[in-house]
Amino acid sequence: MRPCTSSDTSPSDTPPPRTSPSCTPPADAPPAGSRAPTDVLVVGGGIIGLVTAWRAAQRGLSVAVVDPAPGGGAAQVAAGMLAAVTELHHGEQTLLALNLASARRYPAFAAELAEASGCGPGGLGYRACGTLAVALDSDDRAHLRELHALQRRSGLESEWLSGRECRRLEPMLAPGVRGGLRVDGDHQVDPRRLAAALLVACERAGVALHRAWAERLSVVRDRARGVVLADGTELHAGQTVLAAGSLSGRLAGVPDDVLPPVRPVKGQVLRLSVPKPYAPFLSRTVRAVVRGSHVYLVPRENGELVVGATSEELGWDTTVTAGGVYELLRDAHELVPGITELPLTETRAGLRPGSPDNAPLLGPTRLPGLQLATGHYRNGVLLTPLTGEVMAHSLVTGELPDEALAFTPRRFAEPSLVPPTQSFTEQPA
Ligand code: GLY
């Protein structure tokens, strides 16, 4: 039996089985083998679970997190682009509003977390460096022109540049670049440092960490009461938050009608390093769609260059494949030929928690005592600041704040709950 956490890195492509949902309700009083109840128990110690725990603890709630390796999960693989504008898609205006709201919070969030964790200014690797999305051929250029039009209709700032203007900004770009979009508002953060800082901030805020697998949800008299660990220990809580990334739909004991419809979407990512004589190799994130596949290069101040990412629907498989590495290097090389000179330091695959509408599931479910913070898909790092605030509000008040109402987990069963698009509506071109 495989328990459910956010930090699964098994190469197996077999979905972790759910245990029987027919869990025996324990008695009201915590029996032997159980711990004192907390206000909140977060299942999953990835960045979404940790930010939820940290913000809830700051609001005066007693909080515990259960995860065998807190601070792990998809953040150990993610590149950390904060790409609200360059990753805009048709039909995702409501998600765009949430993404922009979180992006706006990043500078203050990064400063507060750096202080709370003691990692110091700049310790999260937050860089307001901007992004350049470029086109390599006429198909790519047509795609980018469409994106530009959508951005303008959505009131977003981006500037069309000729190929020459792109290369003036980033001299390492291939001479064949046909044009590009300069987006000065899409920045980056280092997700590994973000996860490490959140873990320290949680500990300093008094969050209890249970380094174990959650085996199943306890449901007593139609209310979630916490979880049972693999060793039989019971963790009781007033509210349980399922924040287990791509595995959030696998926790045994969760009734089928509240089980989050998340699925794993594999992303293979490479890490290279830029030796001092080559620096600065790139000054901002550079990305493109090459033959229909997204490729991005994210340069960090410490010389790391992250190249991502594949997008594969292969269940819980996290194998790094020759084909995945080949395609990423081939596409990155077309964009920035000098990349083949750099040392390749790491290859890794992670699992994005995909949802049916590519948007997160936040807040109360129809099962009293169970809330969700999952399904962030391509935007987990970007949405971390906002998710922490939204979840803390929801845990304290029992309701989502207005800006997150559209992301209720109940929207799939009850579409009438979703308010009309907020902030603005896309107009036809
Ligand atoms: N947001 C980048 C990715 O999911 O690959």
Side-chain angles (χ1 to χ4, degrees):
M1 178 171 49
R2 282 269 296 285
C4 184
T5 77
S6 63
S7 50
D8 177 73
T9 54
S10 161
S12 162
D13 60 359
T14 309
R18 298 183 64 206
T19 51
S20 163
S22 59
C23 53
T24 313
D28 264 0
S34 69
R35 307 283 177 88
T38 50
D39 294 325
V40 177
L41 176 65
V42 181
V43 181
I47 52 175
I48 295 299
L50 291 177
V51 79
T52 298
W54 179 45
R55 289 305 199 193
Q58 284 181 320
R59 300 282 287 262
L61 301 175
S62 60
V63 185
V65 171
V66 57
D67 190 312
Q76 294 302 314
V77 181
M81 288 180 302
L82 308 174
V85 178
T86 37
E87 288 202 357
L88 176 61
H89 292 283
H90 281 284
E92 293 186 358
Q93 260 60 27
T94 307
L95 176 59
L96 171 65
L98 197 76
N99 286 343
L100 290 172
S102 201
R104 278 194 296 274
R105 282 163 167 82
Y106 242 102
F109 171 82
E112 184 186 350
L113 181 57
E115 171 82 24
S117 65
C119 72
L124 302 183
Y126 176 72
R127 275 187 79 193
C129 59
T131 294
L132 183 65
V134 302
L136 287 168
D137 61 26
S138 51
D139 283 353
D140 300 343
R141 193 164 58 177
H143 169 90
L144 216 51
R145 285 279 192 200
E146 259 184 49
L147 175 62
H148 191 213
L150 177 59
Q151 290 167 340
R152 291 168 66 124
R153 291 199 299 276
S154 303
L156 301 171
E157 279 184 30
S158 67
E159 183 190 358
W160 183 263
L161 302 182
S162 67
R164 182 175 298 187
E165 287 168 325
C166 290
R167 283 191 302 281
R168 202 173 296 140
L169 275 185
E170 296 295 342
M172 296 303 284
L173 280 174
V177 162
R178 304 282 291 271
L181 278 180
R182 177 177 176 162
V183 178
D184 285 343
D186 277 1
H187 303 315
Q188 60 152 301
V189 71
D190 184 335
R192 292 178 176 176
R193 295 203 218 171
L194 174 65
L198 281 168
L199 191 56
V200 174
C202 278
E203 285 173 320
R204 289 185 174 183
V207 173
L209 299 173
H210 298 282
R211 294 172 194 270
W213 295 108
E215 182 81 13
R216 65 178 165 83
L217 184 74
S218 296
V219 180
V220 183
R221 286 197 278 280
D222 294 329
R223 186 179 173 91
R225 299 284 179 184
V227 299
V228 181
L229 305 183
D231 68 0
T233 303
E234 295 178 20
L235 303 178
H236 294 270
Q239 299 189 76
T240 304
V241 180
L242 193 41
S246 65
L247 288 170
S248 298
R250 308 295 312 179
L251 183 63
V254 179
D256 284 343
D257 62 341
V258 292
L259 203 61
V262 291
R263 67 185 197 287
V265 183
K266 176 178 170 181
Q268 300 190 48
V269 172
L270 316 177
R271 283 177 162 78
L272 298 92
S273 69
V274 179
K276 283 242 157 59
Y278 290 86
F281 190 76
L282 295 172
S283 64
R284 74 203 69 218
T285 296
V286 169
R287 55 185 302 153
V289 179
V290 183
R291 287 178 292 273
S293 301
H294 290 268
V295 63
Y296 44 79
L297 291 83
V298 183
R300 303 231 193 281
E301 252 158 15
N302 64 5
E304 184 175 76
L305 181 67
V306 186
V307 178
T310 64
S311 188
E312 304 162 76
E313 305 255 1
L314 294 171
W316 278 267
D317 169 35
T318 52
T319 311
V320 174
T321 63
V325 174
Y326 165 72
E327 281 170 27
L328 288 172
L329 285 176
R330 181 196 61 196
D331 295 350
H333 174 252
E334 279 190 39
L335 208 55
V336 181
I339 197 171
T340 48
E341 305 294 322
L342 304 179
L344 175 64
T345 54
E346 189 181 321
T347 60
R348 199 150 168 185
L351 299 172
R352 306 174 183 91
S355 76
D357 58 5
N358 299 336
L361 291 83
L362 303 173
T365 66
R366 280 188 291 173
L367 177 67
L370 181 66
Q371 301 216 14
L372 301 183
T374 189
H376 291 70
Y377 188 38
R378 302 181 71 94
N379 298 306
V381 178
L382 171 60
L383 286 173
T384 295
L386 195 81
T387 299
E389 280 180 36
V390 164
M391 292 307 298
H393 183 281
S394 178
L395 289 163
V396 169
T397 66
E399 289 175 3
L400 284 170
D402 286 351
E403 64 191 331
L405 284 175
F407 303 95
T408 169
R410 297 164 62 182
R411 67 186 182 271
F412 300 111
E414 300 165 71
S416 60
L417 286 175
V418 179
T421 300
Q422 296 147 12
S423 301
F424 49 77
T425 307
E426 182 191 346
Q427 300 298 320

